[in-house]
Amino acid sequence: MKGPELSSLRPRRLATIRGRILIGVLVLLAAGLIGNSVAGAVTLRNYLDHRAEVSLRASGDRVHRLLAAGPQTINGTQLSALISPILGMTVIGPDGGVAAQAGDGVPEAINHLTAGRLDQVVTVKDDPSVPDLIALRIPTSGLTVKTSEGEATASAVILTVRTDIDRSTVTDFVSSQATIVGVTLVLAFATALLILKFGLRPLGRMANAADAIASGAREERLPTYGDHSETDRLATAVNAAFDAQARAEDNIRAFAADASHELRTPLATISGWLDLYHQGGLTTPADLDRALERVDGEVGRMRLLVEELSLLARLDAGRPLEAQRVDLRRLATDVVEDAGVVAPDRTIHLHADAPVHVCGDAARLQQVLNNLVGNAIQHTPTPIDVSLESSGGEAVVRVADQGPGIAQQDLSRVFDRFWRAEASRSRARGGSGLGLAIVQAVVHAHHGTVRITSHTGSGTAVTVTLPALPPSR
């Protein structure tokens, strides 16, 4: 089966961040420009209509004021000045017909279109006999108009303003706005494309770096510029994740190497005694007993190592521990008494004035105390002090010795698995190097903290802090 074409794996232009931002910006800009143009055209249209209507009513008011003084005789020029700036005027005679017309010629059909609608603004649109206009029919009883053909008694005067010219103005405005919108969108597209090209360049470099990492360049990292931008913060966070992954992989490799090394030694010892037996080197019962004793010791050492690794694996997986009320003073008493039996020549003091209770797994917490006291017994010849107290809602356990201490450069590694200090914690003195790692894992599983302080030549102190329970009533 052929694999997918390379082109099908590439994201479409509109599926990229650049494409989506570009389309979004253009859509918003187009909506804004078109909305503004439509609003402008409607406003202009309403303004022109309102202006024409106001002009008509103002001229009609002047005519009414003139006639209120009594019958008047005026010529066409005077009437045109009276009603200026009206573009059209039609004089209606006593018989209801058109007696005279002046201004921008208006068809006689305006007479019957306004008949019976005195002092009302009439809007005429889409009439085949009359251009688009607005008209006002004013009754003019007592008005005589002198024309070139003589005098004419006017029963009414029709004032008109053509609006088809205004419609043309609005149409021209809309056309110019459409051109402006088109040109603006083209310029905005080019500008936005240029801005996005440079603005999203860090993302492209990040993608290239990520591809390099995925291809096996484990030391490669996303570029950062220290400008605290969103892309810079993203690159920093991703780099931190890559660093954490690299450390985890290194720890896994080191853990596997250390575990195999720890298991290889007892296996080599067992294999050596078995080879000696098969070659006939164990000829006496005493030799055979000694070989079995050594084999049994190495098997026990392997069993302990496997159990410790299994415990760490369970704790790493976050499997829940038992949760019950535990008296730390009783556990510390048992541990100190057991240590006195194992090392009767050592001085171990317990300082615990009152019971201290926590919620947790009693067996695991006792293992923490055993490991801490056992480490002190194993690696120092000095007296050991175990103290327990409750303060501020916390249970504090402290195991201190007066031994040679740990070098400052080694303190950051004391909780590493299989780690031993060169001077004082060699394999020759026993231990798998997992004791303090188990202590840390168990304490963290109980939502506590563990801290170690040490100075060369002045001893070491390990302090475990756990959430304390209130005293029982």
Side-chain angles (χ1 to χ4, degrees), residues 13 17-27 188-193 196:
R13 174 64 61 183
I17 294 178
R18 179 184 301 176
R20 290 195 293 269
I21 294 178
L22 186 61
I23 294 300
V25 169
L26 291 179
V27 168
F189 176 83
T191 304
L193 195 62
L196 289 173

Side-chain angles (χ1 to χ4, degrees), residues 383-397:
I384 301 169
D385 291 313
V386 180
S387 60
L388 174 65
E389 63 179 352
S390 179
S391 174
E394 294 180 335
V396 181
V397 182

